[in-house]
Amino acid sequence: MARRDLPVNGLQTFLVTARHLNLTHAATELCITQGAVSRQIQALEAWFGFPLFRRHARGLSLTPRAEQLLPDLRLQLEQLYHLTERIRQSPDQLRLKAPSCAMRWLVPRLVAFEQHAPDVHVALTTTLDHRRQLEDFDAAIVYGTADSGGETLFDEELIPVMASHLPRPSEMSDLQHYTFLHPTPDTKDWLLWLNQHDLPLIRGRNQHFATMDLALNAAVQGFGITVADIHLAAEEIARGRLVAPFHLTVKTGAAYRLLHRADDLPESALHSLINWLHRPDPPIPSAG
């Protein structure tokens, strides 16, 4: 049989059959008949010029040459699948990963970006994992310090916010009458803000949350007052759902940063998204 006549379908059949060592099970997984499995294996054996399996009454076993072939063949087919998947995807589909806490900042910008560039689709994956890795994504937003790599989108800057329908504290000492909503299981964000402005720790009612987003949701519902990044809270402030009773902020030293794969094409979809995410934020409305 000429080399160009390689029975490609038989390669996948061989891998499945080698995993099961059973023709019936292989046929079930491949959704073909047992006879079709046998014929494809026989065609592949004829092409290689040596047997791939030993037939036994209770099943199959690999021949020594098939055992030698199997790892490299499995690797080559896996690489082929990755190649065809990349080709199959639209060249204007971008894969973006971002932490869930950044959604309040990110989603309005993605909506505006897809209106600006309707031919570009951004496939967004949210995560609670703050690993500073790009992995298989075209771009990723990560939370961390300057050594996290990537380009700074905005520095984390904390400010107290609360529901607009609640009575606002007129003085700092009035904070003791509110439930403190902590964006993390510890109290470090509130402690940082209070210490920055030489205020004593006010030990009143406390609620602890796993993420800043959850604390913001509770604040919107009127559960209490939280400290939140001013960029993440900006959308709710603009809508009038949250207010910042005190215009005192503190930077934490952390930032939200953008990692992206290399792209030297200035007119590419990825380049457009990068530039869009780096656009300056609109001014944050005054709390009044």
Side-chain angles (χ1 to χ4, degrees), residues 95-116:
R95 294 163 296 173
L96 173 65
K97 179 180 70 169
S100 58
C101 58
M103 289 302 102
R104 292 174 184 271
W105 179 88
L106 178 61
V107 169
R109 284 159 181 76
L110 290 185
V111 171
F113 176 72
E114 293 204 347
Q115 292 171 348
H116 168 75

Side-chain angles (χ1 to χ4, degrees), residues 95-99 103 123-127 137:
R95 294 163 296 173
L96 173 65
K97 179 180 70 169
M103 289 302 102
L124 176 63
T125 298
T126 61
T127 179
F137 293 88

Side-chain angles (χ1 to χ4, degrees), residues 208-252:
H208 301 267
F209 297 88
T211 67
M212 185 174 292
D213 189 57
L214 292 175
L216 276 170
N217 285 338
V220 168
Q221 299 300 319
F223 196 12
I225 186 168
T226 189
V227 281
D229 177 79
I230 195 168
H231 305 85
L232 301 186
E235 183 75 11
E236 299 292 357
I237 293 174
R239 292 181 180 182
R241 300 175 66 184
L242 287 177
V243 294
F246 305 111
H247 296 283
L248 300 174
T249 65
V250 58
K251 289 190 175 183
T252 66

Side-chain angles (χ1 to χ4, degrees), residues 185-281:
D186 54 29
T187 62
K188 64 179 183 180
D189 287 347
W190 263 117
L191 283 174
L192 180 65
W193 188 86
L194 292 167
N195 290 337
Q196 176 71 18
H197 302 294
D198 296 322
L199 298 170
L201 174 62
I202 303 172
R203 298 186 180 277
R205 297 183 299 274
N206 295 272
Q207 292 289 341
H208 301 267
F209 297 88
T211 67
M212 185 174 292
D213 189 57
L214 292 175
L216 276 170
N217 285 338
V220 168
Q221 299 300 319
F223 196 12
I225 186 168
T226 189
V227 281
D229 177 79
I230 195 168
H231 305 85
L232 301 186
E235 183 75 11
E236 299 292 357
I237 293 174
R239 292 181 180 182
R241 300 175 66 184
L242 287 177
V243 294
F246 305 111
H247 296 283
L248 300 174
T249 65
V250 58
K251 289 190 175 183
T252 66
Y256 288 83
R257 308 176 67 82
L258 180 66
L259 307 177
H260 58 83
R261 62 175 173 79
D263 191 338
D264 298 327
L265 301 176
E267 302 303 322
S268 71
L270 178 58
H271 207 76
S272 296
L273 176 64
I274 294 168
N275 289 339
W276 190 269
L277 292 179
H278 277 295
R279 292 177 60 177
D281 292 339

Side-chain angles (χ1 to χ4, degrees), residues 22-267:
N22 183 288
L23 293 177
T24 301
H25 294 166
T28 299
E29 179 174 332
L30 294 167
C31 298
I32 59 178
T33 66
Q34 183 175 328
V37 173
S38 294
R39 287 191 295 273
Q40 290 184 20
I41 294 296
Q42 289 168 5
L44 196 60
E45 289 176 328
W47 191 89
F48 280 122
F50 57 82
L52 298 170
F53 296 99
R54 295 191 182 98
R55 278 74 173 173
H56 307 288
R58 301 182 61 182
L60 305 172
S61 63
L62 290 168
T63 64
R65 296 186 70 177
E67 289 181 346
Q68 183 180 10
L69 169 68
L70 183 61
D72 286 341
L73 181 59
R74 184 182 291 122
L75 176 62
Q76 294 298 323
L77 283 182
E78 186 67 24
Q79 292 175 344
L80 177 61
Y81 291 147
H82 286 312
L83 171 62
T84 55
E85 180 65 15
R86 289 198 303 270
I87 295 174
R88 184 184 65 81
Q89 291 178 346
S90 165
D92 289 335
Q93 174 173 294
L94 299 174
R95 294 163 296 173
L96 173 65
K97 179 180 70 169
S100 58
C101 58
M103 289 302 102
R104 292 174 184 271
W105 179 88
L106 178 61
V107 169
R109 284 159 181 76
L110 290 185
V111 171
F113 176 72
E114 293 204 347
Q115 292 171 348
H116 168 75
D119 294 334
V120 180
H121 172 60
V122 180
L124 176 63
T125 298
T126 61
T127 179
L128 295 175
D129 188 351
H130 288 287
R131 286 183 298 176
R132 302 156 194 175
Q133 298 175 3
L134 191 59
E135 298 174 323
D136 293 329
F137 293 88
D138 297 300
I141 295 175
V142 298
Y143 171 80
T145 54
D147 60 0
S148 303
E151 306 155 3
T152 300
L153 292 172
F154 57 89
D155 294 319
E156 185 176 47
E157 190 172 358
L158 301 180
I159 189 171
V161 291
M162 59 187 294
S164 57
H165 65 268
L166 291 180
R168 303 179 197 178
S170 57
E171 298 179 357
M172 295 289 188
S173 59
D174 292 337
L175 289 172
Q176 63 186 315
H177 303 303
Y178 295 83
T179 297
F180 278 62
L181 309 178
H182 298 280
T184 58
D186 54 29
T187 62
K188 64 179 183 180
D189 287 347
W190 263 117
L191 283 174
L192 180 65
W193 188 86
L194 292 167
N195 290 337
Q196 176 71 18
H197 302 294
D198 296 322
L199 298 170
L201 174 62
I202 303 172
R203 298 186 180 277
R205 297 183 299 274
N206 295 272
Q207 292 289 341
H208 301 267
F209 297 88
T211 67
M212 185 174 292
D213 189 57
L214 292 175
L216 276 170
N217 285 338
V220 168
Q221 299 300 319
F223 196 12
I225 186 168
T226 189
V227 281
D229 177 79
I230 195 168
H231 305 85
L232 301 186
E235 183 75 11
E236 299 292 357
I237 293 174
R239 292 181 180 182
R241 300 175 66 184
L242 287 177
V243 294
F246 305 111
H247 296 283
L248 300 174
T249 65
V250 58
K251 289 190 175 183
T252 66
Y256 288 83
R257 308 176 67 82
L258 180 66
L259 307 177
H260 58 83
R261 62 175 173 79
D263 191 338
D264 298 327
L265 301 176
E267 302 303 322

